[in-house]
Amino acid sequence: MKAKVSGWVLGVLFLMVVFMCSGQVWVMQVPLVLVLGWVGFLQRVLPEVTWRWGAIAETVAVVAVLGVGTHLFLRRLWRQLRPEDERAWPVRWSVSLVALLVLLFSATMATVGIGHHVGWLASGRAPLTESSWRFSPRHMEWDNEGICRQALDLSQSGVPDARIAQVLLRGEAVIRTKAERLHVVPWRGAGGEAGFLVFPRDPLSRERAGGVHCGGGVEQKSFKAAELPKLLAGPRVAEDTAP
């Protein structure tokens, strides 16, 4: 039995090493996040929590009154229902009952909160995950590469550069969501070829993900956020037409 368990453990470890060597770091990240992810959450959220001491004092007072009133009522009811029993209603039974009511109330609030957040995540436009491949064109945040290709296709089909951003914003829901998060800047090469710079509007996301440029007589290529001012100031950059 021990040899079989050891074989399974070694097999799982071997597969994890293979996945990590191929760049699939999520194999190690997923179990670590499931076990220790709450630590980072508390470090991020607790400094932002505002403690309302008045409300906390009121809650403690209400629970205390509820506990004392419940104990007195149940002790009297116990005597009426079981007059032959010499034992008094135990205090720990009242405490257990009040604690159970508080836990049920907390569980109800947690369930409502989970439902609210699930609905918010399902209806929101923010991406649920962020790629760890920061500067790879195929894994750019919010699909910079796809928007750049679509802008280039629109330009080659005859759509004026000044209207491409508006066309993307009026496209399908998926395309519109991406276009709302990205700057699409026309970019002309030395020979007049159409090209575009695409990068996130949000400065923090731009710092993490950088951007891409395509067309303009050059191959599609990603760039870091530090390179953006130089690209925008270059002679081949036109005015940003994104609204």
Side-chain angles (χ1 to χ4, degrees), residues 81-160:
L81 295 178
R82 305 189 66 174
E84 73 282 356
D85 198 335
E86 298 181 356
R87 295 182 305 165
W89 175 265
V91 175
R92 66 176 182 275
W93 290 6
S94 299
V95 174
S96 300
L97 181 59
V98 173
L100 179 61
L101 293 176
V102 172
L103 288 176
L104 289 175
F105 179 73
S106 301
T108 302
M109 292 181 60
T111 303
V112 173
I114 291 173
H116 171 76
H117 283 283
V118 169
W120 176 73
L121 290 173
S123 59
R125 296 181 177 179
L128 298 179
T129 59
E130 293 183 4
S131 175
S132 59
W133 297 75
R134 296 186 179 182
F135 305 116
S136 174
R138 296 192 177 187
H139 298 276
M140 292 300 288
E141 189 175 14
W142 292 326
D143 194 19
N144 299 10
E145 177 189 10
I147 292 295
C148 198
R149 285 182 177 177
Q150 291 174 359
L152 194 59
D153 291 341
L154 290 172
S155 178
Q156 292 174 352
S157 66
V159 178

Side-chain angles (χ1 to χ4, degrees), residues 58-78:
E58 290 177 5
T59 302
V60 173
V62 169
V63 172
V65 172
L66 177 64
V68 173
T70 300
H71 179 69
L72 295 176
F73 171 76
L74 292 177
R75 185 177 63 178
R76 182 175 181 180
L77 183 63
W78 174 267

